[in-house]
Amino acid sequence: MSPSLFVEQSLNGVQLGVMLFLMAAGLTLVFGIMNLINLAHGSLYMAGAFFAATVFQLTDSFTLAVLVAVPASALVGAFVEWAVLRRFYQRSHLDQVLVTFGLILVFNDVVRMIWGVVPVPLSPPDALSGPVHLFGGVEYPAFRLAILAVGALVALGLYIVVSHTRVGMWIRAGASDRPMASALGVDVELVFSLVFSAGAALAGLAGLMAGPITAVQVGMGEPILILALVVTVIGGIGSIRGAFVAALIIGIGDTFGRVLLPPALGSMVIFMLMAAILAWRPKGLFPVHG
Amino acid sequence: MAETKATLAKADGAATRVFAPIVLLALLALAPTLSNAVDNPFLIRLFTRAVIFAMAAVALNVVLGYGGLVSLMHAGLAGIGAYAVAILAFHDYDGSKFVGIFPGTGNLAISIPLAMILAGLGAAITGVVSLRTSGAYFIMITLAFNQMLYYFFVALQKYGGDDGLQILGSLDFFGLDVSKRATFYYFALAALTVETAFFALLVESRFGIILRACAQNERRVVALGVPPLRYKVAAFAISGAAAGLAGAMWATGQQFVSPSDLSWVRSGDYIVMAVLGGMGLVWGPVLGAIVYVLLEAFLPAWTQFWQAPFGVVVILIVVFLRGGLLDLVGAKGARGNGGGRG
């Protein structure tokens, strides 16, 4: 592998990693605090991409698309939490799997009804459409670099919010001991809604950034959902730090696995990685609940 | 008084556990006759699909309803069985050898047991990793393993990759030609009957009682001196082998297998079938599979967007009918042990 290819693939890996982190952050917080398995998280990713594509088609402005799609995804998330999922925090995991599975079917069909089955075009903003020249003559698409930067910024922001603010303290308190946090006067319901909407916003952001790279189409959230679940499990369910480390491991592992190994093995690398890590640490790298 | 009540409950239990499934399977045996009577071959195709889905859902329910293990990889395990049959048939047809050593075969008497062994082994290996965890971890890990199998078969370019693998040669079972629709239907129904009877005996055996105990209170099982992991892995492997049987039947019936049969959505469908029918009874998922296939066949006639109403049905069942359809007729014990918090 030449040095320039190595740099390019490393960047690809880190970029996939930050995308996965945006997805996994929501999943892991929702699970850690509310004890809810949300298989429909990928639908919020899809929603973000479709909202952005629609606004982009109407206004031709990527900035506006971002400004509309992220809050819109958060709203969809808030609505689903309020209308359906709120009733399932105390139910068994099986019920949660079933209800979010049902939600995926509904989401996919609603998207099919509104936008049809043909992929909706979404191109990167003009300013970011070309390549960037990096050191050593490496060329890299500016848009992918921008994703990397946005993802890193969001990760930093999340770290600051979760570790250094009062809301973050509530979130951590809720994740480590829900009844005690509630007894100490934290409005747990409000925190739940807030966390779920924030997770939805991050999923929507990931979706709209993935839009120009992959395709904006029905079911686009499901492959990334699986990877995000792998990240969540490896990192330790409920741990933001774990999600970040695991997202980078999976992002880089998957990218290099596909480049270096034959296809049948390359596509399985991350799952073997998961199996190996869990055989060593069944609760993930950074377990939250003892 | 108390005695009469107990006898009544016992009779009721026998009715739902023994007579009801016999009646259901007997009714299923009438499908080809019915299909001939109304001269509609679509019916027999529909019921073949239902019977095969039922085999997978019954297999799943042993670990789901009795073991409390929410597995999202049963489509993948069934896929191992399906590909085993299809790959053996592929080598039988073109006379080549699998990895240059093993000859292929079109004899299901060889390929079905092999499919079951491979699927059972796959379940045992993944089970050793996934069953060390519990609850949400288990669900997510089985989902990940399902996708691993999916991508593995997508990557097998020699066997069709993304496009799937067509079975071109003929398949037989000890000389019984299963290419005729009615013959294959009875063949699959017989397999489902044997499978259901086997699991009905299994869950009442000592093994089954330990499995159920693990779902209810694993700590007590440990305190009794029984190692739960061993039992759970064994149950998962047996369930996986039965899923492999369903997959083998699927490949035989369709003469085709593709990675999309292994998608995790199919695994979710199996869970829906088990819950729809009622997880507390071994044969409950058979009912669930029939209802699922009927919905899948007739909802699209009303609307192109049938998945949304189907999703709503799933959500409503979870919210209201916690013991599945069997709750409607008031069957005892329709709610399984399963789905406990981990």
Short mmCIF file of all heavy atoms in Angstrom, two decimals, chain B residues 40-93:
data_model
loop_
_atom_site.label_atom_id
_atom_site.label_comp_id
_atom_site.label_asym_id
_atom_site.label_seq_id
_atom_site.Cartn_x
_atom_site.Cartn_y
_atom_site.Cartn_z
N ASN B 40 -56.77 -23.12 -8.00
CA ASN B 40 -55.93 -21.93 -7.86
C ASN B 40 -54.58 -22.33 -7.27
O ASN B 40 -54.44 -22.51 -6.06
CB ASN B 40 -56.65 -20.92 -6.95
CG ASN B 40 -55.91 -19.59 -6.92
OD1 ASN B 40 -54.79 -19.49 -7.41
ND2 ASN B 40 -56.54 -18.59 -6.35
N PRO B 41 -53.55 -22.51 -8.12
CA PRO B 41 -52.25 -22.97 -7.63
C PRO B 41 -51.60 -21.95 -6.69
O PRO B 41 -50.67 -22.28 -5.97
CB PRO B 41 -51.42 -23.17 -8.90
CG PRO B 41 -52.10 -22.37 -9.94
CD PRO B 41 -53.55 -22.29 -9.58
N PHE B 42 -52.09 -20.72 -6.73
CA PHE B 42 -51.54 -19.68 -5.85
C PHE B 42 -51.68 -20.08 -4.39
O PHE B 42 -50.79 -19.83 -3.58
CB PHE B 42 -52.27 -18.36 -6.12
CG PHE B 42 -51.89 -17.25 -5.19
CD1 PHE B 42 -50.60 -16.72 -5.20
CD2 PHE B 42 -52.80 -16.73 -4.30
CE1 PHE B 42 -50.25 -15.70 -4.34
CE2 PHE B 42 -52.45 -15.70 -3.43
CZ PHE B 42 -51.17 -15.20 -3.45
N LEU B 43 -52.81 -20.73 -4.06
CA LEU B 43 -53.07 -21.12 -2.67
C LEU B 43 -51.99 -22.04 -2.12
O LEU B 43 -51.53 -21.88 -1.00
CB LEU B 43 -54.42 -21.84 -2.59
CG LEU B 43 -55.62 -20.99 -2.20
CD1 LEU B 43 -56.85 -21.85 -2.09
CD2 LEU B 43 -55.35 -20.28 -0.89
N ILE B 44 -51.61 -23.03 -2.94
CA ILE B 44 -50.64 -24.00 -2.43
C ILE B 44 -49.27 -23.35 -2.27
O ILE B 44 -48.53 -23.65 -1.32
CB ILE B 44 -50.59 -25.26 -3.32
CG1 ILE B 44 -49.81 -26.35 -2.59
CG2 ILE B 44 -49.99 -25.01 -4.65
CD1 ILE B 44 -50.00 -27.71 -3.20
N ARG B 45 -48.95 -22.42 -3.16
CA ARG B 45 -47.70 -21.67 -3.00
C ARG B 45 -47.72 -20.89 -1.70
O ARG B 45 -46.74 -20.84 -0.96
CB ARG B 45 -47.51 -20.71 -4.18
CG ARG B 45 -46.84 -21.35 -5.36
CD ARG B 45 -45.90 -20.37 -6.05
NE ARG B 45 -46.62 -19.20 -6.54
CZ ARG B 45 -47.13 -19.11 -7.76
NH1 ARG B 45 -47.02 -20.10 -8.60
NH2 ARG B 45 -47.76 -18.02 -8.14
N LEU B 46 -48.86 -20.27 -1.43
CA LEU B 46 -49.04 -19.48 -0.22
C LEU B 46 -48.82 -20.33 1.03
O LEU B 46 -48.10 -19.97 1.95
CB LEU B 46 -50.46 -18.92 -0.23
CG LEU B 46 -50.75 -17.71 0.62
CD1 LEU B 46 -50.06 -16.50 0.00
CD2 LEU B 46 -52.24 -17.47 0.69
N PHE B 47 -49.46 -21.51 1.02
CA PHE B 47 -49.36 -22.35 2.22
C PHE B 47 -47.98 -23.00 2.35
O PHE B 47 -47.53 -23.26 3.46
CB PHE B 47 -50.49 -23.39 2.24
CG PHE B 47 -51.76 -22.82 2.79
CD1 PHE B 47 -52.76 -22.35 1.96
CD2 PHE B 47 -51.93 -22.70 4.16
CE1 PHE B 47 -53.92 -21.79 2.48
CE2 PHE B 47 -53.09 -22.15 4.69
CZ PHE B 47 -54.08 -21.69 3.85
N THR B 48 -47.32 -23.25 1.21
CA THR B 48 -45.95 -23.75 1.30
C THR B 48 -45.08 -22.72 2.02
O THR B 48 -44.30 -23.05 2.91
CB THR B 48 -45.39 -24.01 -0.12
OG1 THR B 48 -46.29 -24.86 -0.81
CG2 THR B 48 -44.03 -24.66 -0.04
N ARG B 49 -45.25 -21.46 1.61
CA ARG B 49 -44.52 -20.37 2.25
C ARG B 49 -44.82 -20.33 3.75
O ARG B 49 -43.92 -20.20 4.58
CB ARG B 49 -44.96 -19.06 1.58
CG ARG B 49 -44.07 -17.88 1.81
CD ARG B 49 -44.59 -16.71 0.95
NE ARG B 49 -44.02 -15.46 1.38
CZ ARG B 49 -42.84 -15.00 0.96
NH1 ARG B 49 -42.12 -15.73 0.14
NH2 ARG B 49 -42.37 -13.86 1.40
N ALA B 50 -46.11 -20.47 4.09
CA ALA B 50 -46.51 -20.42 5.50
C ALA B 50 -45.88 -21.55 6.29
O ALA B 50 -45.37 -21.34 7.40
CB ALA B 50 -48.03 -20.47 5.60
N VAL B 51 -45.88 -22.76 5.71
CA VAL B 51 -45.35 -23.93 6.42
C VAL B 51 -43.84 -23.74 6.68
O VAL B 51 -43.34 -24.05 7.76
CB VAL B 51 -45.64 -25.22 5.62
CG1 VAL B 51 -44.77 -26.36 6.12
CG2 VAL B 51 -47.11 -25.57 5.73
N ILE B 52 -43.14 -23.22 5.67
CA ILE B 52 -41.68 -23.07 5.84
C ILE B 52 -41.37 -21.96 6.85
O ILE B 52 -40.50 -22.12 7.72
CB ILE B 52 -41.01 -22.83 4.48
CG1 ILE B 52 -41.13 -24.10 3.64
CG2 ILE B 52 -39.55 -22.47 4.67
CD1 ILE B 52 -40.69 -23.95 2.23
N PHE B 53 -42.08 -20.85 6.74
CA PHE B 53 -41.90 -19.79 7.73
C PHE B 53 -42.22 -20.32 9.13
O PHE B 53 -41.56 -19.99 10.11
CB PHE B 53 -42.80 -18.59 7.43
CG PHE B 53 -42.25 -17.67 6.37
CD1 PHE B 53 -43.02 -16.63 5.86
CD2 PHE B 53 -40.96 -17.83 5.90
CE1 PHE B 53 -42.51 -15.77 4.89
CE2 PHE B 53 -40.45 -16.99 4.93
CZ PHE B 53 -41.23 -15.96 4.42
N ALA B 54 -43.26 -21.16 9.20
CA ALA B 54 -43.65 -21.72 10.49
C ALA B 54 -42.51 -22.54 11.08
O ALA B 54 -42.25 -22.47 12.29
CB ALA B 54 -44.91 -22.58 10.34
N MET B 55 -41.80 -23.30 10.23
CA MET B 55 -40.69 -24.10 10.74
C MET B 55 -39.63 -23.21 11.37
O MET B 55 -39.09 -23.51 12.44
CB MET B 55 -40.06 -24.91 9.59
CG MET B 55 -40.95 -26.03 9.11
SD MET B 55 -40.37 -26.68 7.55
CE MET B 55 -39.08 -27.67 8.15
N ALA B 56 -39.32 -22.10 10.69
CA ALA B 56 -38.31 -21.19 11.23
C ALA B 56 -38.81 -20.52 12.51
O ALA B 56 -38.06 -20.37 13.48
CB ALA B 56 -37.94 -20.14 10.18
N ALA B 57 -40.09 -20.12 12.51
CA ALA B 57 -40.61 -19.41 13.67
C ALA B 57 -40.74 -20.34 14.88
O ALA B 57 -40.49 -19.93 16.02
CB ALA B 57 -41.96 -18.77 13.33
N VAL B 58 -41.10 -21.61 14.64
CA VAL B 58 -41.17 -22.58 15.73
C VAL B 58 -39.77 -22.80 16.31
O VAL B 58 -39.58 -22.84 17.53
CB VAL B 58 -41.77 -23.92 15.24
CG1 VAL B 58 -41.54 -25.03 16.25
CG2 VAL B 58 -43.27 -23.76 14.98
N ALA B 59 -38.78 -22.89 15.40
CA ALA B 59 -37.39 -23.05 15.85
C ALA B 59 -36.97 -21.87 16.71
O ALA B 59 -36.39 -22.03 17.79
CB ALA B 59 -36.46 -23.17 14.64
N LEU B 60 -37.29 -20.66 16.22
CA LEU B 60 -36.93 -19.45 16.97
C LEU B 60 -37.61 -19.43 18.33
O LEU B 60 -37.01 -19.07 19.35
CB LEU B 60 -37.35 -18.21 16.17
CG LEU B 60 -37.33 -16.89 16.95
CD1 LEU B 60 -35.90 -16.48 17.24
CD2 LEU B 60 -38.05 -15.80 16.19
N ASN B 61 -38.87 -19.85 18.35
CA ASN B 61 -39.65 -19.70 19.58
C ASN B 61 -39.12 -20.55 20.74
O ASN B 61 -39.36 -20.23 21.89
CB ASN B 61 -41.12 -20.03 19.31
CG ASN B 61 -42.00 -19.58 20.45
OD1 ASN B 61 -41.82 -18.49 20.97
ND2 ASN B 61 -42.91 -20.43 20.88
N VAL B 62 -38.40 -21.62 20.40
CA VAL B 62 -37.85 -22.43 21.49
C VAL B 62 -36.88 -21.60 22.33
O VAL B 62 -36.91 -21.65 23.56
CB VAL B 62 -37.18 -23.69 20.93
CG1 VAL B 62 -36.40 -24.41 22.01
CG2 VAL B 62 -38.24 -24.59 20.35
N VAL B 63 -36.05 -20.81 21.66
CA VAL B 63 -35.16 -19.95 22.44
C VAL B 63 -35.84 -18.66 22.86
O VAL B 63 -35.53 -18.10 23.90
CB VAL B 63 -33.84 -19.64 21.69
CG1 VAL B 63 -32.95 -20.85 21.66
CG2 VAL B 63 -34.09 -19.10 20.32
N LEU B 64 -36.78 -18.18 22.05
CA LEU B 64 -37.43 -16.90 22.36
C LEU B 64 -38.49 -17.05 23.44
O LEU B 64 -38.43 -16.41 24.49
CB LEU B 64 -38.06 -16.33 21.08
CG LEU B 64 -38.90 -15.06 21.22
CD1 LEU B 64 -38.01 -13.89 21.56
CD2 LEU B 64 -39.67 -14.78 19.94
N GLY B 65 -39.46 -17.92 23.20
CA GLY B 65 -40.58 -18.05 24.12
C GLY B 65 -40.21 -18.81 25.38
O GLY B 65 -40.70 -18.52 26.46
N TYR B 66 -39.33 -19.81 25.25
CA TYR B 66 -39.00 -20.64 26.41
C TYR B 66 -37.67 -20.26 27.05
O TYR B 66 -37.50 -20.40 28.26
CB TYR B 66 -39.00 -22.12 26.01
CG TYR B 66 -40.39 -22.60 25.68
CD1 TYR B 66 -40.91 -22.48 24.40
CD2 TYR B 66 -41.20 -23.10 26.68
CE1 TYR B 66 -42.21 -22.88 24.11
CE2 TYR B 66 -42.50 -23.50 26.39
CZ TYR B 66 -42.99 -23.38 25.12
OH TYR B 66 -44.28 -23.76 24.84
N GLY B 67 -36.73 -19.76 26.22
CA GLY B 67 -35.43 -19.40 26.77
C GLY B 67 -35.29 -17.91 27.06
O GLY B 67 -34.31 -17.47 27.63
N GLY B 68 -36.30 -17.12 26.62
CA GLY B 68 -36.22 -15.67 26.85
C GLY B 68 -35.10 -15.00 26.08
O GLY B 68 -34.65 -13.93 26.43
N LEU B 69 -34.63 -15.63 24.99
CA LEU B 69 -33.53 -15.08 24.22
C LEU B 69 -34.06 -14.46 22.93
O LEU B 69 -34.52 -15.18 22.05
CB LEU B 69 -32.52 -16.18 23.89
CG LEU B 69 -31.93 -16.92 25.09
CD1 LEU B 69 -31.23 -18.19 24.64
CD2 LEU B 69 -30.98 -16.01 25.83
N VAL B 70 -33.98 -13.15 22.82
CA VAL B 70 -34.49 -12.47 21.63
C VAL B 70 -33.42 -12.52 20.55
O VAL B 70 -32.56 -11.66 20.47
CB VAL B 70 -34.88 -11.01 21.95
CG1 VAL B 70 -35.53 -10.37 20.74
CG2 VAL B 70 -35.82 -10.97 23.13
N SER B 71 -33.48 -13.56 19.72
CA SER B 71 -32.46 -13.73 18.68
C SER B 71 -32.90 -13.05 17.39
O SER B 71 -33.98 -13.32 16.87
CB SER B 71 -32.23 -15.21 18.42
OG SER B 71 -31.67 -15.39 17.13
N LEU B 72 -32.04 -12.19 16.86
CA LEU B 72 -32.32 -11.58 15.56
C LEU B 72 -31.44 -12.19 14.47
O LEU B 72 -31.16 -11.54 13.47
CB LEU B 72 -32.10 -10.07 15.63
CG LEU B 72 -33.31 -9.26 16.12
CD1 LEU B 72 -32.92 -7.81 16.38
CD2 LEU B 72 -34.44 -9.30 15.11
N MET B 73 -30.97 -13.43 14.68
CA MET B 73 -30.13 -14.02 13.63
C MET B 73 -30.72 -15.31 13.06
O MET B 73 -30.02 -16.06 12.39
CB MET B 73 -28.71 -14.26 14.16
CG MET B 73 -28.59 -15.33 15.21
SD MET B 73 -26.84 -15.61 15.67
CE MET B 73 -26.17 -16.24 14.15
N HIS B 74 -32.01 -15.56 13.27
CA HIS B 74 -32.53 -16.82 12.77
C HIS B 74 -32.68 -16.85 11.25
O HIS B 74 -32.64 -17.92 10.65
CB HIS B 74 -33.82 -17.21 13.49
CG HIS B 74 -33.54 -18.06 14.70
ND1 HIS B 74 -32.79 -17.62 15.76
CD2 HIS B 74 -33.86 -19.34 14.98
CE1 HIS B 74 -32.68 -18.60 16.64
NE2 HIS B 74 -33.32 -19.65 16.19
N ALA B 75 -32.83 -15.69 10.63
CA ALA B 75 -32.84 -15.67 9.16
C ALA B 75 -31.46 -16.06 8.66
O ALA B 75 -31.33 -16.80 7.67
CB ALA B 75 -33.22 -14.29 8.65
N GLY B 76 -30.42 -15.61 9.34
CA GLY B 76 -29.06 -15.96 8.96
C GLY B 76 -28.81 -17.45 9.12
O GLY B 76 -28.21 -18.10 8.26
N LEU B 77 -29.29 -18.02 10.23
CA LEU B 77 -29.10 -19.46 10.47
C LEU B 77 -29.86 -20.27 9.43
O LEU B 77 -29.34 -21.26 8.90
CB LEU B 77 -29.56 -19.82 11.89
CG LEU B 77 -28.74 -19.18 13.01
CD1 LEU B 77 -29.39 -19.43 14.36
CD2 LEU B 77 -27.32 -19.73 13.00
N ALA B 78 -31.09 -19.85 9.14
CA ALA B 78 -31.85 -20.53 8.09
C ALA B 78 -31.10 -20.41 6.77
O ALA B 78 -31.08 -21.35 5.96
CB ALA B 78 -33.25 -19.93 7.97
N GLY B 79 -30.47 -19.25 6.55
CA GLY B 79 -29.71 -19.02 5.32
C GLY B 79 -28.57 -20.00 5.16
O GLY B 79 -28.27 -20.46 4.06
N ILE B 80 -27.90 -20.34 6.27
CA ILE B 80 -26.82 -21.33 6.21
C ILE B 80 -27.38 -22.64 5.64
O ILE B 80 -26.80 -23.26 4.74
CB ILE B 80 -26.20 -21.58 7.60
CG1 ILE B 80 -25.52 -20.31 8.10
CG2 ILE B 80 -25.19 -22.73 7.54
CD1 ILE B 80 -24.89 -20.47 9.49
N GLY B 81 -28.53 -23.06 6.17
CA GLY B 81 -29.16 -24.29 5.69
C GLY B 81 -29.53 -24.20 4.22
O GLY B 81 -29.30 -25.14 3.44
N ALA B 82 -30.10 -23.04 3.84
CA ALA B 82 -30.54 -22.86 2.45
C ALA B 82 -29.34 -22.93 1.51
O ALA B 82 -29.38 -23.61 0.48
CB ALA B 82 -31.27 -21.53 2.31
N TYR B 83 -28.26 -22.22 1.86
CA TYR B 83 -27.09 -22.22 1.00
C TYR B 83 -26.41 -23.59 0.97
O TYR B 83 -25.83 -23.98 -0.05
CB TYR B 83 -26.10 -21.13 1.41
CG TYR B 83 -26.32 -19.84 0.65
CD1 TYR B 83 -27.03 -18.79 1.19
CD2 TYR B 83 -25.82 -19.71 -0.65
CE1 TYR B 83 -27.24 -17.62 0.47
CE2 TYR B 83 -26.02 -18.55 -1.38
CZ TYR B 83 -26.74 -17.50 -0.81
OH TYR B 83 -26.94 -16.36 -1.53
N ALA B 84 -26.48 -24.33 2.09
CA ALA B 84 -25.87 -25.66 2.09
C ALA B 84 -26.53 -26.53 1.02
O ALA B 84 -25.83 -27.17 0.21
CB ALA B 84 -26.03 -26.30 3.47
N VAL B 85 -27.86 -26.53 1.00
CA VAL B 85 -28.58 -27.33 0.00
C VAL B 85 -28.27 -26.83 -1.41
O VAL B 85 -27.97 -27.61 -2.33
CB VAL B 85 -30.09 -27.29 0.26
CG1 VAL B 85 -30.87 -27.84 -0.92
CG2 VAL B 85 -30.43 -28.07 1.52
N ALA B 86 -28.31 -25.49 -1.58
CA ALA B 86 -28.13 -24.92 -2.92
C ALA B 86 -26.71 -25.15 -3.44
O ALA B 86 -26.51 -25.45 -4.62
CB ALA B 86 -28.45 -23.43 -2.89
N ILE B 87 -25.71 -25.02 -2.56
CA ILE B 87 -24.32 -25.18 -3.00
C ILE B 87 -24.04 -26.65 -3.35
O ILE B 87 -23.39 -26.96 -4.36
CB ILE B 87 -23.34 -24.65 -1.93
CG1 ILE B 87 -23.41 -23.12 -1.90
CG2 ILE B 87 -21.91 -25.10 -2.23
CD1 ILE B 87 -22.61 -22.48 -0.79
N LEU B 88 -24.58 -27.56 -2.54
CA LEU B 88 -24.41 -28.99 -2.87
C LEU B 88 -25.07 -29.31 -4.20
O LEU B 88 -24.51 -30.05 -5.02
CB LEU B 88 -25.02 -29.85 -1.75
CG LEU B 88 -24.17 -29.95 -0.48
CD1 LEU B 88 -24.94 -30.67 0.62
CD2 LEU B 88 -22.86 -30.66 -0.77
N ALA B 89 -26.25 -28.72 -4.43
CA ALA B 89 -26.94 -28.96 -5.71
C ALA B 89 -26.16 -28.36 -6.87
O ALA B 89 -26.08 -28.94 -7.95
CB ALA B 89 -28.35 -28.37 -5.65
N PHE B 90 -25.53 -27.20 -6.62
CA PHE B 90 -24.73 -26.52 -7.64
C PHE B 90 -23.58 -27.42 -8.10
O PHE B 90 -23.34 -27.62 -9.29
CB PHE B 90 -24.20 -25.21 -7.04
CG PHE B 90 -23.19 -24.47 -7.86
CD1 PHE B 90 -23.59 -23.61 -8.87
CD2 PHE B 90 -21.83 -24.63 -7.62
CE1 PHE B 90 -22.65 -22.92 -9.63
CE2 PHE B 90 -20.89 -23.95 -8.36
CZ PHE B 90 -21.29 -23.10 -9.37
N HIS B 91 -22.87 -28.02 -7.12
CA HIS B 91 -21.74 -28.88 -7.47
C HIS B 91 -22.21 -30.19 -8.08
O HIS B 91 -21.52 -30.78 -8.91
CB HIS B 91 -20.87 -29.13 -6.24
CG HIS B 91 -20.07 -27.93 -5.86
ND1 HIS B 91 -19.05 -27.45 -6.64
CD2 HIS B 91 -20.16 -27.09 -4.81
CE1 HIS B 91 -18.53 -26.37 -6.06
NE2 HIS B 91 -19.20 -26.12 -4.95
N ASP B 92 -23.38 -30.65 -7.66
CA ASP B 92 -23.95 -31.87 -8.25
C ASP B 92 -24.25 -31.63 -9.72
O ASP B 92 -23.98 -32.47 -10.57
CB ASP B 92 -25.24 -32.22 -7.49
CG ASP B 92 -25.84 -33.52 -8.02
OD1 ASP B 92 -25.08 -34.47 -8.22
OD2 ASP B 92 -27.07 -33.57 -8.22
N TYR B 93 -24.76 -30.43 -10.02
CA TYR B 93 -25.19 -30.12 -11.39
C TYR B 93 -24.00 -29.98 -12.32
O TYR B 93 -24.00 -30.54 -13.41
CB TYR B 93 -26.02 -28.83 -11.37
CG TYR B 93 -26.57 -28.45 -12.71
CD1 TYR B 93 -27.61 -29.18 -13.29
CD2 TYR B 93 -26.05 -27.36 -13.41
CE1 TYR B 93 -28.11 -28.84 -14.52
CE2 TYR B 93 -26.56 -27.01 -14.64
CZ TYR B 93 -27.58 -27.74 -15.20
OH TYR B 93 -28.08 -27.40 -16.41
#
